[in-house]
Amino acid sequence: MKKIIGLTGMLFLLNLSACKKNSEPAAKIEEQTQKESIVVKTYAEISIKEGGHWEGREYLDGSFKNVDSIKVPSEHTDHSWYIRYEGPGWESNKIGYRLYLDWRNAIDIFGKKTDTMVLSKVGLDGFDSYHEMQNWGSDILKVGKGLGIGSIGRYVNKQVLHFNEVDSTFAKTENLDNESVVKVNYFGWKTNNQKTNLTSLLSIASDERYTKHTIQSSEMLEGICTGIVKLNDLPLLQKESDNKKWGYIATYGKQSLVPDNLGMAIFYKKETISEMVEGEHDHLIVFKPTTTAITFYFLGAWEQEVNGIKSQEEFLSYLNQKLDELNQSDKLK
């Protein structure tokens, strides 16, 4: 017996068939729309020159191109003009940082007056243009002979040794959904007639000022340190409690290059610390010798950022909130 389908049934089947045919494109359109609506809040990059040539310590001509990773050329040093803004950069929607990928190995701060990503354009209009105030902001930290904020050195005989002797250095960047990462491997870092391989992992999360910095040395060396550069004789601010795991050091005041208010801080886990030292150029945190990974956090807070912190009281309140979070969960998200 044949089954007869009425007009209503035929219309239903036609509509069902049309829905099936259009469902896949509709899903793709929806997925694309969702991707386009995502607001990017972190970014990391490294950009090198190509098409030019080396003359001694300087790279002449050529144009910048972003790369995922590099082995730093043996000719490269400070002001070689080879790496755009002299090293890898990373940013959130609140602040930006850069690492001098040469013997200085210091970390500098880009103050941002916008909550959009800017690093991809920084330094394209002239190597030192970011030292002048732009619509997006500028370089706001005078590093000088110091470590800047949160970078690594080695404290030996009352001196901070930088990265003057390294067999080879590799750097790479990665941009994930909610964070961006810079990884640097230093092979054969020589200080005080001792060598080690050091890994440095720097990551920044969306909507945050801090950088999470995890370091690991292949050798148990005394004196590996981090710190905050000393500027304008500002007092050191400190907080830690006997019954808590974490503490911080910080400075606050007119210490930006503008000049205006800038706060800087490092959060450290007390069990990883050997001593606190007042160096010639930096407030120093010296780590205990270990081959185990060490994690700490550093940050800058500039008063001109969007909804920026504008007083020492606000800054300390902000730091204390982050300290409470660390002492409760042993990490920042």
Side-chain angles (χ1 to χ4, degrees):
M1 180 177 176
K2 293 184 179 180
K3 190 172 184 180
I4 300 173
I5 300 175
L7 180 60
T8 303
M10 290 178 65
L11 289 173
F12 172 77
L13 290 174
L14 287 170
N15 286 336
L16 183 61
S17 176
C19 286
K20 285 181 178 178
K21 287 181 180 178
N22 292 329
S23 62
E24 186 176 351
K28 288 184 177 179
I29 291 169
E30 183 179 355
E31 182 182 354
Q32 182 64 29
T33 303
Q34 287 175 347
K35 286 181 179 179
E36 290 174 356
S37 66
I38 293 173
V39 177
V40 177
K41 292 186 176 182
T42 70
Y43 177 65
E45 67 170 12
I46 187 163
S47 183
I48 62 173
K49 269 192 175 179
E50 290 188 338
H53 61 280
W54 287 98
E55 284 192 11
R57 66 193 292 275
E58 296 185 357
Y59 192 89
L60 305 179
D61 303 323
S63 58
F64 287 117
K65 176 185 177 181
N66 277 29
V67 293
D68 294 329
S69 62
I70 67 163
K71 177 183 179 183
V72 179
S74 58
E75 301 93 336
H76 178 67
T77 185
D78 61 291
H79 300 90
S80 283
W81 329 120
Y82 174 67
I83 306 177
R84 184 157 55 88
Y85 55 76
E86 302 196 85
W90 61 101
E91 65 179 320
S92 71
N93 48 323
K94 292 184 175 293
I95 198 164
Y97 302 94
R98 62 174 173 140
L99 170 69
Y100 299 143
L101 202 60
D102 52 55
W103 67 270
R104 295 168 296 175
N105 199 63
I107 292 176
D108 203 346
I109 297 175
F110 285 127
K112 293 175 58 174
K113 297 191 290 185
T114 175
D115 56 8
T116 59
M117 301 298 98
V118 301
L119 285 183
S120 63
K121 300 179 180 66
V122 171
L124 287 174
D125 53 348
F127 190 81
D128 284 333
S129 61
Y130 46 82
H131 290 120
E132 301 296 327
M133 189 58 68
Q134 312 283 329
N135 290 334
W136 60 265
S138 70
D139 176 341
I140 58 171
L141 183 62
K142 182 175 176 58
V143 172
K145 296 179 179 180
L147 292 172
I149 173 70
S151 62
I152 300 300
R154 189 176 180 203
Y155 187 67
V156 178
N157 297 326
K158 298 185 178 181
Q159 287 186 319
V160 175
L161 306 179
H162 293 252
F163 282 65
N164 297 70
E165 294 186 62
V166 182
D167 290 340
S168 58
T169 302
F170 293 81
K172 63 184 293 186
T173 62
E174 188 175 10
N175 291 296
L176 306 172
D177 287 344
N178 294 308
E179 68 172 358
S180 292
V181 180
V182 173
K183 183 177 183 180
V184 186
N185 290 103
Y186 307 90
F187 293 97
W189 176 34
K190 184 178 180 181
T191 52
N192 199 34
N193 294 315
Q194 297 170 300
K195 277 190 175 185
T196 191
N197 301 327
L198 185 79
T199 300
S200 175
L201 189 66
L202 303 128
S203 61
I204 195 164
S206 57
D207 300 313
E208 299 291 354
R209 298 178 177 91
Y210 65 80
T211 291
K212 178 182 179 181
H213 195 176
T214 299
I215 62 169
Q216 189 165 16
S217 171
S218 65
E219 306 298 323
M220 293 182 64
L221 299 183
E222 293 185 356
I224 291 179
C225 64
T226 188
I228 301 173
V229 63
K230 293 180 179 179
L231 296 169
N232 300 340
D233 296 320
L234 293 175
L236 182 66
L237 309 170
Q238 294 179 266
K239 185 172 183 180
E240 66 174 49
S241 301
D242 291 339
N243 60 341
K244 301 293 184 181
K245 292 182 179 180
W246 290 81
Y248 68 71
I249 63 170
T251 57
Y252 187 86
K254 286 189 167 30
Q255 58 180 336
S256 81
L257 287 168
V258 176
D260 61 0
N261 288 322
L262 171 66
M264 293 187 284
I266 297 176
F267 295 90
Y268 58 88
K269 199 169 188 177
K270 293 192 297 181
E271 66 181 23
T272 66
I273 303 306
S274 170
E275 61 180 334
M276 303 285 193
V277 178
E278 286 302 312
E280 182 180 0
H281 305 292
D282 309 276
H283 304 290
L284 296 172
I285 296 171
V286 183
F287 299 108
K288 293 176 181 176
T290 183
T291 56
T292 301
I294 297 170
T295 293
F296 60 97
Y297 299 82
F298 65 84
L299 62 86
W302 184 41
E303 70 168 300
Q304 288 197 56
E305 71 185 47
V306 178
N307 300 318
I309 292 170
K310 293 180 167 51
S311 70
Q312 181 169 306
E313 291 73 24
E314 285 183 67
F315 184 55
L316 290 175
S317 176
Y318 167 72
L319 294 184
N320 291 334
Q321 288 175 10
K322 292 299 180 188
L323 185 61
D324 287 344
E325 187 178 335
L326 277 168
N327 281 321
Q328 288 169 15
S329 63
D330 210 31
K331 64 181 180 179
L332 296 177
K333 65 177 180 176

